[in-house]
Amino acid sequence: GNSVTQMEGPVTLSEEAFLTINCTYTATGYPSLFWYVQYPGEGLQLLLKATKADDKGSNKGFEATYRKETTSFHLEKGSVQVSDSAVYFCALTAYNQGGKLIFGQGTELSVKP
Amino acid sequence: DTAVSQTPKYLVTQMGNDKSIKCEQNLGHDTMYWYKQDSKKFLKIMFSYNNKELIINETVPNRFSPKSPDKAHLNLHINSLELGDSAVYFCASSQRASNTEAFFGQGTRLTVV
């Protein structure tokens, strides 16, 4: 079946450090890939998306590239801020699955000043 | 204007009670969902409705019954609440039931005591 695997957290970084959160997936066909962010006490917000191979999604300094050859969608940011502290979820939807999102287990990021 | 809103935000209740969570979206989307987030923050789909029709029911106990009176509303009723039902429940909506991003509500934190 379809699945998403993320690197385990928590990840603790100093402000202005480089961030990478790894995400790999297993899916039949051509899924769409997403990163969602959950700030403390809040719901999920869509951070970025990519719908086909080699697409790069980007938003708020974050970016991720849909790599079909390595079935990966790693999240990166060049310089993190304290306000980026949150839980990040990688997710996919596959064709003919009723729009169901399959999530990775989430990676908690803590950025220290 | 909140795109996906759910009420209540917090719900504390005793075992054996029946409770409902309401959800409304003003995005004009065709598809709505309920997701459950457990204590480890893992997210899993429970139900999906497309144009008021149930299209996904993911092995959820019969005590959980969704109802969609119209495309903009999806409510979740839970009978005979158990301790294990304690979780955060998220409502979400998407434009269609295939390969597209979903927009989430703020969540309802249900605590069963």
Side-chain angles (χ1 to χ4, degrees):
Chain A
N2 300 330
S3 66
V4 176
T5 303
Q6 287 178 238
M7 64 186 278
E8 287 205 20
V11 173
T12 303
L13 295 173
S14 297
E15 208 164 20
E16 298 184 4
F18 185 85
L19 168 71
T20 300
I21 300 178
N22 289 339
C23 170
T24 56
Y25 67 90
T26 302
T28 51
Y30 300 94
S32 292
L33 302 174
F34 307 92
W35 277 99
Y36 282 85
V37 58
Q38 185 177 25
Y39 297 102
E42 297 187 14
L44 282 85
Q45 298 176 27
L46 178 66
L47 183 58
L48 52 85
K49 68 176 183 179
T51 57
K52 60 184 189 299
D54 300 325
D55 266 3
K56 179 187 277 190
S58 60
N59 186 26
K60 298 182 183 178
F62 291 89
E63 54 183 40
T65 302
Y66 189 143
R67 301 277 188 212
K68 191 158 175 63
E69 63 276 11
T70 53
T71 61
S72 65
F73 192 54
H74 304 321
L75 182 68
E76 295 183 337
K77 187 175 185 184
S79 175
V80 293
Q81 305 300 311
V82 172
S83 56
D84 294 325
S85 298
V87 181
Y88 292 82
F89 293 91
C90 185
L92 68 82
T93 63
Y95 178 72
N96 219 20
Q97 294 289 302
K100 173 170 78 172
L101 277 165
I102 294 170
F103 287 91
Q105 68 268 41
T107 302
E108 184 178 357
L109 170 67
S110 177
V111 180
K112 307 294 185 194
Chain B
D1 249 5
T2 307
V4 181
S5 59
Q6 50 183 112
T7 55
K9 189 167 181 184
Y10 300 97
L11 189 50
V12 181
T13 188
Q14 291 189 323
M15 272 197 308
N17 283 351
D18 303 339
K19 289 293 176 187
S20 291
I21 307 171
K22 297 189 174 197
C23 179
E24 176 181 5
Q25 55 97 0
N26 62 7
L27 297 166
H29 288 168
D30 284 346
T31 313
M32 294 185 73
Y33 312 84
W34 281 109
Y35 285 84
K36 180 179 179 180
Q37 185 174 46
D38 65 20
S39 57
K40 291 186 171 35
K41 296 208 177 290
F42 186 69
L43 282 148
K44 194 171 187 309
I45 193 165
M46 301 172 69
F47 301 103
S48 170
Y49 271 75
N50 189 55
N51 281 317
K52 301 194 296 174
E53 183 184 337
L54 181 67
I55 58 170
I56 295 175
N57 182 344
E58 287 273 309
T59 331
V60 178
N62 289 340
R63 298 182 295 103
F64 290 78
S65 52
K67 280 193 173 49
S68 182
D70 55 58
K71 250 176 40 166
H73 295 84
L74 179 62
N75 304 322
L76 183 65
H77 188 74
I78 316 169
N79 287 328
S80 304
L81 278 154
E82 300 177 357
L83 292 177
D85 298 331
S86 296
V88 181
Y89 293 85
F90 286 102
C91 178
S93 72
S94 64
Q95 194 165 19
R96 58 186 182 276
S98 180
N99 251 17
T100 186
E101 66 268 31
F103 295 85
F104 284 76
Q106 293 296 293
T108 296
R109 181 174 293 277
L110 171 65
T111 304
V112 183
V113 297

